[in-house]
Amino acid sequence: GDYSCSFTYSAQGGTNEQWQMTVGVSEDGGLFSCSIWRPQGKSYLFFTQFKAEVKGAKIEHAMAYSQAAAGALNDIPLKQEEFGVTETTVSHREGKFRFELSKLMIVAKAPREEL
């Protein structure tokens, strides 16, 4: 539709990890979600940088995790200083990000057109 989500990153490691990305739109078309994660839980890649960007909507809520829930493991969020959120992007913070990422979730809101 009118929304898109992209994920760019730089990482070291060659573990052939499987990652998933899902996007969704609410029934009324007002909310857009984008999730990127490793279903097995923790990633063993050494991320030097990452950025997720949405188009067609403004970010309402975003969270990044060093570990994704899987089996007996729980989501472990990154510290707030490790990443930054703008209206359209979620990205690492240089010098603060600790190189671990296993999950990224974004909820964005479509701009309302005035009648």
Side-chain angles (χ1 to χ4, degrees), residues 43-78:
S43 170
Y44 295 96
L45 294 173
F46 183 87
F47 283 87
T48 54
Q49 56 189 21
F50 71 87
K51 180 169 98 171
E53 184 172 14
V54 296
K55 290 191 174 140
K58 290 184 179 175
I59 294 175
E60 290 278 304
H61 174 75
M63 195 62 210
Y65 301 86
S66 62
Q67 177 178 291
L73 303 175
N74 293 320
D75 285 340
I76 298 177
L78 294 185

Side-chain angles (χ1 to χ4, degrees), residues 50 63-66 76-80 82-83 97 100-101:
F50 71 87
M63 195 62 210
Y65 301 86
S66 62
I76 298 177
L78 294 185
K79 291 183 169 56
Q80 284 296 134
E82 290 188 73
F83 67 101
F97 177 55
E100 290 184 308
L101 184 71

